[in-house]
Amino acid sequence: MPHDHHDHDHDGMSPSGHPYRADNDAPLTYWQTMEIAVRELLIKKRHTTAAEISAQIDTMDARSPANGAAVVARAWSDPAFKSRLLSDASAASREMGYDIGALNLIAVENTEDTHNLIVCTLCSCYPRNLLGLPPDWYKTRAYRSRAVKEPRKVLEEFGVTLPQETQIRVYDSTADMRYIVLPTRPNGTEDMDEASLAKLVTRDSMIGTGLAKAP
């Protein structure tokens, strides 16, 4: 399965580890044309402005896995916050200033005997408010189907080999319900502060296709 680790096969990947993309010089698609038309109409009717649209794009582009890593690090450091996160991840994330919008965000915790994996079998639903844009492989048909049919094998292809007795739970995201994995806190991090802990939290560990890094 194509992904962005660097120690496995890279079908369809460039030598630098990025997926090949066709040049973006083809005629506009129907949906691209429609987006431009609607955007220009909203501006013309004064429902919004070009500056407001640009600001919103900047806000969306600023979202990154660092947001989710900060939430995970807080949960690792603060048992009360962790309890609130597992009870209502949307509200707990808002406590830290992250706008979750109207989405129902659910945090699922990895434990000694359970590993969680997130997928969107329909399209590419993803907790963008905390993780930024989804990786290309997350949107592929191969990941969306195989994550459900053979999650253990998919995880092995990402470099995550779990004991056979570990239960793997796969969570299917929807348009109004998103998931984030609370990975297991690595050993040897007892004396680390939140900022240091956040550096151990990878994007993939919050999807479930990876583990938190060792200190």
Side-chain angles (χ1 to χ4, degrees):
M1 168 159 314
H3 55 91
D4 45 11
H5 287 184
H6 299 280
D7 52 347
H8 309 287
D9 294 336
H10 291 80
D11 295 339
M13 306 291 279
S14 71
S16 61
H18 295 87
Y20 287 109
R21 287 182 180 274
D23 289 338
N24 187 24
D25 54 4
L28 294 177
T29 66
Y30 168 81
W31 296 111
Q32 289 172 321
T33 303
M34 183 65 74
E35 183 274 327
I36 293 171
V38 171
R39 171 160 43 89
E40 292 183 347
L41 182 61
L42 289 172
I43 293 173
K44 184 176 180 179
K45 295 289 185 181
R46 299 185 178 181
H47 291 293
T48 187
T49 67
E52 288 174 338
I53 293 174
S54 179
Q56 183 61 32
I57 292 173
D58 288 343
T59 298
M60 294 173 65
D61 286 346
R63 296 166 181 163
S64 79
N67 296 349
V71 171
V72 170
R74 173 71 59 84
W76 283 349
S77 304
D78 183 343
F81 178 80
K82 175 182 174 181
S83 178
R84 295 196 297 276
L85 181 69
L86 294 176
S87 175
D88 185 343
S90 298
S93 298
R94 292 191 188 100
E95 283 183 33
M96 296 185 64
Y98 298 120
D99 178 16
I100 303 300
L103 293 176
N104 182 18
L105 180 67
I106 298 174
V108 289
E109 182 184 16
N110 285 349
T111 64
E112 288 186 1
D113 57 6
T114 301
H115 183 91
N116 300 292
L117 180 64
I118 294 171
V119 68
C120 175
T121 57
L122 182 62
C123 50
S124 59
C125 295
Y126 187 76
R128 299 180 184 219
N129 304 61
L130 291 182
L131 303 189
L133 294 175
D136 286 344
W137 53 259
Y138 184 85
K139 298 177 283 186
T140 64
R141 187 184 301 275
Y143 177 77
R144 287 157 45 205
S145 59
R146 294 183 59 218
V148 176
K149 295 178 180 176
E150 46 184 6
R152 192 175 297 275
K153 187 172 182 180
V154 168
L155 288 174
E156 289 175 353
E157 294 173 15
F158 276 88
V160 179
T161 301
L162 301 172
Q164 286 299 316
E165 58 269 25
T166 299
Q167 181 182 18
I168 300 174
R169 292 179 178 171
V170 181
Y171 290 85
D172 191 4
S173 306
T174 67
D176 56 3
M177 184 175 295
R178 311 292 168 88
Y179 298 91
I180 182 172
V181 173
L182 177 58
T184 302
R185 179 172 177 167
N187 294 327
T189 60
E190 293 77 11
D191 297 326
M192 296 177 67
D193 59 20
E194 282 188 32
S196 298
L197 287 170
K199 296 178 182 177
L200 304 179
V201 184
T202 66
R203 177 200 65 195
D204 287 6
S205 72
M206 295 181 281
I207 300 173
T209 51
L211 304 174
K213 294 186 290 187

